Amino acid sequence: MGLDYEMQLTMSGVMNICQVVACVWSLWGMDRFGRRKLLLGGAVCMFLAHFIISILVGKYNGKWTEHTDAGWASAALILFFMLSFGATWGPIPWAMPAEIFPSSLRAKGCAFGTMSNWGNNFIIVSTVSILKVSASLLIRFRG
């Protein structure tokens, strides 16, 4: 979004700090507001951030040097997204298996939840790169 390499590195650190701060807040927020409200609110906030970012990128892609305000607005919305994710959808799914399963099945349920998370992440990471290559080849040889 028009940021030079050094600023990209700096913003990457700021973004990760935002997520850590939000995760720490969620430890208090989960008990105060409840899981359902936080998940629904987080989903709405993340959707709005992505939706507005997609509009800005669609409108100003390739013209970020002329529209630096839009670039910084996109960066701010990415930070807002990371705060929303870090406070809601990041930590809450890790806490839920321990609360759902009875004591006799809690360890196995948490282990299965962790295995499912890691396994699904592996599948996504393995297939997305293949899909990106396939899409670029399709575009290249189609036209």
Side-chain angles (χ1 to χ4, degrees), residues 42-98:
V44 169
C45 290
M46 290 186 295
F47 168 77
L48 289 174
H50 269 172
F51 185 71
I52 296 170
I53 290 169
S54 67
I55 291 171
L56 291 172
V57 169
K59 190 171 183 179
Y60 299 115
N61 193 19
K63 302 179 263 183
W64 293 112
T65 54
E66 301 163 9
H67 303 283
T68 56
D69 292 342
W72 283 109
S74 297
L77 285 165
I78 290 172
L79 295 177
F80 175 71
F81 174 87
M82 290 308 291
L83 284 169
S84 300
F85 177 79
T88 59
W89 284 90
I92 292 175
W94 287 99
M96 289 188 76

Side-chain angles (χ1 to χ4, degrees), residues 70-122:
W72 283 109
S74 297
L77 285 165
I78 290 172
L79 295 177
F80 175 71
F81 174 87
M82 290 308 291
L83 284 169
S84 300
F85 177 79
T88 59
W89 284 90
I92 292 175
W94 287 99
M96 289 188 76
E99 298 170 349
I100 292 173
F101 292 103
S103 297
S104 61
L105 298 173
R106 186 166 296 149
K108 290 178 183 175
C110 289
F112 187 79
T114 302
M115 179 196 66
S116 172
N117 185 2
W118 281 80
N120 288 323
N121 283 337
F122 174 77

